[in-house]
Amino acid sequence: MRILLVEDEVMLAEAVRDHLLAAGEAVDHTESIGDAEIMIRGTNYDVLLLDLNLPDGRGIDLLRVLRRNGSAMPCIILTAQDQISDRIEGLNAGADDYLVKPFDLNELSARLSAVARRYSGNPNPFVALAGGVEVDLAGRVVLINGAQIDLTSREWALLDQMVRRPGQTLSKRQLEEALYEFGAEIESNTVEVYVSRLRRKLGRDVIKTVRGVGYRVGG
């Protein structure tokens, strides 16, 4: 997933970013609403992680603007404000979930995955693919005829993008954006390399090439 983290607590932001990067997610981070607005205009993010109290304003006001402008980007609020009234205000503003600081990073990952599944139109974490391949999106596990297959974080991230959108062809650029944050150097054949590795591990029928367009699973 390509994730935008809007958080001004430096230590927390670094912990969240490192945790998600280790899991193969692409994370862009900013400490301000102004920068977040610019980044959102230029990039299609899968999820927004949003602090409520920021140096240049309230995160909830940013969320309200996004919703008024028609944005359906999933949003999880991260905040130290634990009053019921604060949660209600956040949810009513259009947030999909709410995590009170301090929180467990593994719980954050689970909530991210759950929100992403809901927005993909398939809340079921178990997906069956061709060749006896089963994917557990929540547990980040891939099985072939019951035997677990080990994937690297980047291999998983690429497969995860396609599995969440069965039957939809994703372009090379879409997959690159999902895998890498701002400033990352991307080789011209990176996506092709990971697709080739996944095919060797899962079988050639799992990921289909749509010539001149991109790649898809299912459909």
Side-chain angles (χ1 to χ4, degrees):
M1 287 184 285
R2 183 75 176 267
I3 299 164
L4 176 59
L5 170 63
V6 187
E7 171 61 64
D8 67 329
E9 293 183 32
V10 176
M11 292 185 64
L12 175 61
E14 289 179 350
V16 169
R17 186 173 183 274
D18 290 348
H19 176 77
L20 295 176
L21 288 174
E25 315 292 8
V27 184
D28 295 323
H29 170 236
T30 180
E31 300 178 6
S32 75
I33 291 174
D35 286 346
E37 290 174 331
I38 294 170
M39 295 164 80
I40 290 168
R41 285 197 294 269
T43 304
N44 292 319
Y45 288 103
D46 295 299
V47 180
L48 170 65
L49 297 179
L50 181 62
D51 187 18
L52 290 185
N53 295 315
L54 295 160
D56 58 343
R58 301 175 70 226
I60 200 165
D61 293 331
L62 169 62
L63 179 57
R64 288 192 176 110
V65 169
L66 291 173
R67 294 299 185 242
R68 280 200 303 270
N69 291 339
S71 172
M73 176 173 49
C75 175
I76 299 176
I77 287 176
L78 311 177
T79 182
Q81 299 174 203
D82 60 355
Q83 298 297 313
I84 294 297
S85 59
D86 294 323
R87 299 188 191 198
I88 291 172
E89 183 183 22
L91 295 171
N92 284 340
D96 298 275
D97 207 343
Y98 199 109
L99 266 176
V100 177
K101 304 173 187 176
F103 50 80
D104 184 88
L105 292 173
N106 289 320
E107 181 181 3
L108 172 61
S109 292
R111 292 185 184 231
L112 274 168
S113 185
V115 166
R117 289 198 306 273
R118 289 201 300 271
Y119 271 78
S120 71
N122 181 14
N124 188 345
F126 301 100
V127 180
L129 303 177
V133 176
E134 296 177 285
V135 180
D136 177 358
L137 291 169
R140 302 173 69 90
V141 172
V142 179
L143 304 173
I144 297 182
N145 298 320
Q148 184 169 333
I149 304 300
D150 292 327
L151 301 182
T152 67
S153 60
R154 287 300 185 201
E155 289 168 353
W156 167 261
L158 187 71
L159 181 64
D160 176 85
Q161 280 294 306
M162 291 184 282
V163 169
R164 291 183 190 279
R165 300 166 176 81
Q168 178 180 338
T169 301
L170 300 180
S171 69
K172 177 180 174 179
R173 177 161 185 176
Q174 283 178 298
L175 292 170
E176 286 175 344
E177 286 190 349
L179 294 175
Y180 295 96
E181 62 276 8
F182 281 129
E185 293 187 10
I186 306 172
E187 298 290 339
S188 61
N189 65 339
T190 294
V191 170
E192 289 87 347
V193 168
Y194 283 116
V195 167
S196 177
R197 291 178 182 176
L198 284 169
R199 283 173 170 160
R200 284 200 297 271
K201 291 183 177 182
L202 307 181
R204 300 199 60 81
D205 294 333
V206 172
I207 300 175
K208 302 185 185 301
T209 299
V210 181
R211 195 169 299 279
V213 182
Y215 302 94
R216 65 176 170 83
V217 299

